[in-house]
Amino acid sequence: MTPLLDVRDLTICFPNATPVRNLSFGLAPAEALAIVGESGSGKSLTALALMRLLPGAARIASGRVRLDNDDLLALPEVEMRSRRGRDIAMIFQEPMTSLNPVLTIGRQIAEVLQLHRGLTKAQARREAAELLDLVRIPNPERCLDDHPHRLSGGMRQRVMIAIAAACRPKILIADEPTTALDVTIQAQVLELLDRLRRELSLSLLLITHDLGLVGQWADRVIVMYAGRKVEEASPGILFERPLHPYTRGLLAASPRLHDRLHYRSARLAEIPGNIASAATQAGCPFAPRCPDRLARCRTNVPDERDAASGRRVACHVDLTESSRGLHHDAALSY
Amino acid sequence: MSNIQRIGNTFRRTILQAIPTVIGIIVINFFLLQLAPGDAADVLAGESGSATMETVAALRARFGLDQPVLLQLVAYLDNLAHLSLGYSPRYNLPVADIIGQRLPGTVALMATALVIALAGGIALGIVMATFAGRWPDRLISIVVTLFYSIPGFWIGLMLILLFSVKLGWLPSGGAATIGADVSGFDLLIDRARYMVLPALSLSLFYIAIYSRLARAAMLEAQAQDYVRTAAAKGLSPLTITVRHVLRNALLPVTTVAGMHFGGLLGGAVVVETVYSWPGLGRLAFEAVMSRDFSVLLGILLLSSLLVIVANMTVDLVQAWLDPRIEAR
């Protein structure tokens, strides 16, 4: 099946750094794809690049982002503007500051309806109330005239989702949508996103650093490290048998309920070093921190290749599943 | 709470705070003026050139200036309680009449200057913020720094030199063409022609302040998350600026503009003198020179009321602009 969104060789540059390098992935209709990685891995920049909303100094050096046979990166700005919010919508990490404090909720939702769907003010207001109902905000009529400061963080994120879903976009990008929320609210918001995905059959691109979310809410996971994709698999397989040394490290470093090695009884595993060490690498960016590195890891960047059970991985090490997994049974109980 | 209700609450709170403020201003001003050497009788006697001690004493007795200070204060407050501003010994007219003649001119001048300053300042601020760091920003920045540093009277004189003397486009002083028999739209045009230069010289200083302030506020608002949200909605840069950035950026500007209202009245003294504008500023100056304290007190009371009203307006405007501000 041809993907709805096809990203090829996306490279993002700052004047003195390249935070995303040759990233390729596809997103099928109604699929939920998660991009996970630690801070600085380039996942948020990737999301912003898809919207062409990169901050001032950042620039898309090369790549293609195909949506509906159009290369989004090649569209004129005016044309791109008409796609934002209509075909491809985005919600952000900080619900507390992502809404304009001086405008009513109703106005902020109606705005996008009037812009892309040409509704009148009255129609947009009615539709906005329905959207608030869709994202399960109690008393939607009253909420329309409220200002954002009267709403809790979880409610504001629901409003953000209502705005994003207003024009029934094909793709919804959620950049760390629950990071600023507390745990019970997190689950509600993700459940809402998942329900909308099914009801509106939109594709969801979930950007997160929280591996715990991925297993439950994503169909497929891309693990990024220092601007590169290191592994791509379905979450079940990834958690059961992580291939890439970085993925294995990440999973080993996650505290889990059924672990023998609970952080109360033993130290939590860690990946030695930090992501800054990737900047100076000629070869694999993870090489300085990798427990399994070979001589050529220092000099050659590993290509992405197919591995068993429909997964892709970028690593020089011989990653047969039998040789992995066994001594990493810590990951099994995920 | 609805918008109307919210603004109504702010209004009530401000009114309640205004009453003690006004009383305090009257009493303090009264005692302050007593500190000035000499009184109206001295000045009148001095001007007549041939006053005897007896005439001066008679003048004092007539104006009540021979009474103890506290009694004078009580008499003044009694007058005020009866909604009278007292009587001017010099003009031989009720103070309310004298001020009434001058008030419209000054209020019109100040309002026009404030509108020019706000409109010009915010517009320049938007341009500067839009081109931040590039040449339009730098150029305007230099120009407004000049506005800021050049004194008002000098700007007034230079404007007269350019527009009245050299170009002959605008009148150099006064508030209306003397003896002109015009009405309706022509009257408005006539008044506006006399208003342009004084209002402009009064406002240039404030244009400088508001443009820098608006620039900073715009830049800060532009960096907010909700602006990124607006961009992600697919709004055009113009819509984002007008609808999402500007309104948030206006808040600090309105605060400062309200505080400047009193200063504007002070600046009016200079500008009214330069343009021989028949306004309160010049009246106040003349009242000081002739020790006409009842007129001066009337003006001070009125200007304090103006400042209070201006602050109240700012409170209301802010309550309207920013829903987070609520009556406390």
Side-chain angles (χ1 to χ4, degrees):
Chain A
M1 186 167 55
T2 50
L4 173 68
L5 179 82
D6 187 26
V7 179
R8 286 276 150 251
D9 298 323
L10 181 69
T11 300
I12 302 172
C13 281
F14 278 107
N16 51 6
T18 310
V20 175
R21 231 185 260 267
N22 295 331
L23 181 67
S24 301
F25 63 90
L27 181 60
E31 185 190 26
L33 171 66
I35 298 185
V36 296
E38 61 192 277
S39 304
S41 60
K43 53 195 193 310
S44 286
L45 280 175
T46 304
L48 288 172
L50 300 185
M51 297 288 284
R52 280 180 47 189
L53 287 176
L54 285 173
R59 192 169 59 76
I60 296 169
S62 67
R64 216 155 43 79
V65 177
R66 200 176 51 72
L67 173 70
D68 284 343
N69 299 318
D70 284 319
D71 183 0
L72 291 185
L73 302 185
L75 288 179
E77 174 59 27
V78 176
E79 175 69 15
M80 183 63 209
R81 221 181 280 151
S82 74
R83 301 297 184 91
R84 282 187 205 123
R86 195 187 67 189
D87 289 348
I88 175 163
M90 184 160 179
I91 60 176
F92 299 97
Q93 178 173 0
E94 271 299 333
M96 304 310 276
T97 52
S98 289
L99 290 167
N100 189 334
V102 303
L103 299 180
T104 61
I105 302 289
R107 180 111 188 262
Q108 297 190 53
I109 302 176
E111 186 175 53
V112 68
L113 293 166
Q114 287 170 275
L115 178 73
H116 291 303
R117 286 169 59 184
L119 301 188
T120 64
K121 231 174 167 174
Q123 288 171 327
R125 191 183 156 86
R126 228 172 303 128
E127 181 76 31
E130 277 172 32
L131 282 164
L132 288 180
D133 192 47
L134 181 73
V135 297
R136 302 276 153 87
I137 284 188
N139 256 329
E141 283 290 340
R142 223 194 57 203
C143 180
L144 284 180
D145 295 316
D146 266 339
H147 287 90
H149 70 284
R150 306 203 141 258
L151 272 59
S152 67
M155 283 295 153
R156 287 189 214 185
Q157 197 60 295
R158 281 167 193 264
V159 171
M160 284 298 293
I161 293 171
I163 291 172
C167 296
R168 309 283 187 268
K170 297 176 179 129
I171 295 166
L172 176 60
I173 303 173
D175 184 6
E176 307 259 7
T178 58
T179 305
L181 306 174
D182 56 58
V183 180
T184 47
I185 309 294
Q186 278 188 4
Q188 292 173 13
V189 167
L190 285 162
E191 217 164 295
L192 172 65
L193 283 174
D194 197 54
R195 185 166 59 81
L196 288 181
R197 173 167 76 97
R198 282 179 279 108
E199 284 179 12
L200 310 178
S201 73
L202 50 80
S203 307
L204 183 66
L205 183 61
L206 182 66
I207 313 277
T208 180
H209 66 257
D210 189 344
L211 280 169
L213 303 180
V214 170
Q216 200 176 350
W217 305 106
D219 302 328
R220 201 151 49 88
V221 188
I222 290 174
V223 181
M224 278 183 77
Y225 182 78
R228 291 176 193 275
K229 175 162 73 173
V230 294
E231 186 160 6
E232 176 179 346
S234 66
I237 296 174
L238 187 81
F239 290 143
E240 223 167 281
R241 296 188 193 287
L243 283 185
H244 196 282
Y246 176 62
T247 320
R248 284 187 279 120
L250 269 187
L251 289 173
S254 309
R256 279 171 303 269
L257 275 179
H258 312 293
D259 253 1
R260 295 191 303 267
L261 292 173
H262 194 265
Y263 61 87
R264 278 173 192 270
S265 53
R267 286 179 68 92
L268 196 57
E270 59 174 324
I271 306 175
N274 79 51
I275 197 167
S277 62
T280 51
Q281 285 307 301
C284 174
F286 190 60
R289 303 171 71 183
C290 185
D292 303 325
R293 75 174 162 262
L294 309 169
R296 62 190 158 131
C297 290
R298 291 285 198 179
T299 50
N300 299 340
V301 178
D303 287 328
E304 205 181 308
R305 55 189 167 86
D306 285 314
S309 11
R311 57 206 292 189
R312 295 177 67 75
V313 66
C315 187
H316 288 306
V317 185
D318 174 34
L319 301 162
T320 52
E321 291 196 24
S322 54
S323 70
R324 306 286 149 205
L326 285 177
H327 57 278
H328 283 285
D329 50 356
L332 281 171
S333 56
Y334 213 93
Chain B
M1 196 170 10
S2 79
N3 245 16
I4 310 280
Q5 219 180 345
R6 200 157 46 78
I7 292 170
N9 276 353
T10 314
F11 189 71
R12 209 181 46 223
R13 181 169 45 97
T14 325
I15 289 275
L16 284 178
Q17 286 171 352
I19 294 171
T21 314
V22 170
I23 294 175
I25 285 169
I26 295 168
V27 174
I28 291 173
N29 279 332
F30 186 87
F31 285 113
L32 215 58
L33 291 186
Q34 296 300 324
L35 295 177
D39 59 15
D42 286 329
V43 175
L44 282 178
E47 282 174 355
S48 75
S50 61
T52 59
M53 289 306 281
E54 287 74 31
T55 12
V56 175
L59 278 173
R60 288 220 168 93
R62 219 179 99 210
F63 305 142
L65 295 173
D66 54 347
Q67 302 287 319
V69 172
L70 278 180
L71 275 186
Q72 286 186 40
L73 174 62
V74 170
Y76 187 74
L77 290 176
D78 182 52
N79 268 339
L80 282 183
H82 293 89
L83 297 179
S84 157
L85 288 175
Y87 196 83
S88 160
R90 184 176 181 80
Y91 293 87
N92 214 8
L93 279 170
V95 171
D97 289 4
I98 303 171
I99 292 179
Q101 285 171 7
R102 301 289 193 100
L103 184 63
T106 290
V107 168
L109 180 64
M110 283 170 60
T112 313
L114 198 64
V115 168
I116 294 177
L118 280 173
I122 292 169
L124 287 180
I126 293 174
V127 175
M128 285 161 89
T130 311
F131 296 97
R134 280 177 281 161
W135 68 264
D137 179 28
R138 302 262 162 84
L139 187 73
I140 297 175
S141 191
I142 292 171
V143 173
V144 298
T145 311
L146 281 178
F147 289 170
Y148 186 81
S149 45
I150 297 171
F153 72 88
W154 191 83
I155 287 185
L157 291 174
M158 290 305 118
L159 286 177
I160 290 177
L161 204 61
L162 179 63
F163 289 102
S164 307
V165 180
K166 294 274 183 219
L167 298 171
W169 291 352
L170 295 164
S172 64
T177 311
I178 295 165
D181 184 23
V182 287
S183 59
F185 188 67
D186 289 338
L187 179 75
L188 203 68
I189 293 292
D190 184 60
R191 290 293 153 85
R193 275 167 48 80
Y194 282 90
M195 180 73 85
V196 174
L197 289 186
L200 202 60
S201 18
L202 194 52
S203 59
L204 283 182
F205 177 76
Y206 297 97
I207 287 184
I209 297 178
Y210 300 153
S211 60
R212 309 238 26 143
L213 202 61
R215 176 186 186 271
M218 292 278 298
L219 288 179
E220 196 196 318
Q222 271 168 9
Q224 299 293 317
D225 286 349
Y226 54 77
V227 174
R228 193 180 52 185
T229 308
K233 284 177 181 175
L235 297 171
S236 70
L238 185 69
T239 316
I240 294 175
T241 303
V242 173
R243 200 179 294 164
H244 290 276
V245 178
L246 188 58
R247 192 161 158 186
N248 283 287
L250 281 182
L251 283 168
V253 181
T254 50
T255 312
V256 175
M259 291 195 295
H260 281 161
F261 204 75
L264 210 54
L265 200 64
V269 177
V270 173
V271 169
E272 284 176 6
T273 309
V274 171
Y275 288 95
S276 42
W277 183 269
L280 279 183
R282 250 172 80 212
L283 182 67
F285 181 67
E286 286 158 13
V288 172
M289 296 316 284
S290 59
R291 302 290 186 271
D292 198 345
F293 291 153
S294 46
V295 169
L296 202 51
L297 273 177
I299 294 173
L300 290 174
L301 175 61
L302 198 77
S303 27
S304 62
L305 283 177
L306 276 180
V307 170
I308 288 171
V309 169
N311 282 339
M312 207 150 73
T313 316
V314 169
D315 278 358
L316 293 181
V317 168
Q318 293 216 319
W320 171 68
L321 278 178
D322 188 350
R324 287 166 299 182
I325 300 172
E326 289 180 6
R328 278 171 287 265

